[in-house]
């Protein structure tokens, strides 16, 4: 019985590692040199998808529009893919907007442990409400939620209003899926770094 349990554990670990390896490859560019693709095309897609993610946020939480207008910087990861089995990971590309300018293109990587199966995608949006919070983010060489700063993930009431405690925080986060805003989500441990093209 113990031997069977050990084999099962090793098999599960092998599946998890293969899944993570495959997942890691999906985040890499697989375009061949003769396929007329460039980082600029990729950036245009990220920017366009970010617009769509913000529109979806405004549908689910209309009061978020005013917060976005007030923010010193807006970081949007329109499609963060979560995949894995037992040990999972998340990966997505995004853009930092300051004013109406797409200033920087970044990637988000996070790991998770627990029973999960299949893959799902979500949008992660972070609002830097103070200049100090934005400057610390810009000046970091790799930035991690929890280690470098706390992100207050917004909760939205039935009337679509964001709770008053959250809107007073230096960095506010939103997580959405096709079903709407996700509640009770933590972004702790998510690592954000520049995309090197």
């Amino acid at each position: 019985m113990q031997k069977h349990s050990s084999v099962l554990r090793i098999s599960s670990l092998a599946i998890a590692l293969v899944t993570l390896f495959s997942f890691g490859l999906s985040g890499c560019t697989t375009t061949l040199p003769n396929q007329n693709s460039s980082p600029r095309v990729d950036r245009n897609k990220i920017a366009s998808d970010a617009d769509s993610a913000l529109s979806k946020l405004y549908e689910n939480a209309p009061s978020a529009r005013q917060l976005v207008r007030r923010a010193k910087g807006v970081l949007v990861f329109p499609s963060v893919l979560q995949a894995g089995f037992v040990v999972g990971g998340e990966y997505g590309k995004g853009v930092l907007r300051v004013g109406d300018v797409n200033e920087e293109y970044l990637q988000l990587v996070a790991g998770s442990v627990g029973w999960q199966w299949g893959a799902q995608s979500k949008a992660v949006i972070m609002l830097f409400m103070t200049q100090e919070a934005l400057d610390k983010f810009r000046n970091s060489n790799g930035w991690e939620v929890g280690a470098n700063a706390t992100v207050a993930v917004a909760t939205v009431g039935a009337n679509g209003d964001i709770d008053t405690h959250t809107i007073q925080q230096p960095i506010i986060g939103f997580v959405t899926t096709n079903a709407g805003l996700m509640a009770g989500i933590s972004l702790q441990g998510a690592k954000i770094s520049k995309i090197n093209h």
Side-chain angles (χ1 to χ4, degrees), residues 16 19-20 23-24 80-92 108-114 116 118-120 122:
T19 302
L20 276 177
F23 177 63
V80 176
L81 183 66
Q82 176 180 327
F85 177 69
V86 184
V87 178
E90 298 181 8
Y91 179 81
L108 179 148
V109 178
S112 57
V113 178
Q116 51 201 333
Q120 59 180 339
K122 62 190 177 190

Side-chain angles (χ1 to χ4, degrees), residues 43-72:
R43 289 177 177 203
N44 288 339
K45 175 156 178 38
I46 293 169
S48 172
D49 290 348
D51 290 336
S52 298
L54 286 169
S55 294
K56 190 162 195 66
L57 172 63
Y58 302 150
E59 286 174 22
N60 290 295
S63 55
R65 188 185 297 270
Q66 185 180 359
L67 283 176
V68 169
R69 283 196 195 113
R70 281 182 27 220
K72 303 298 182 184

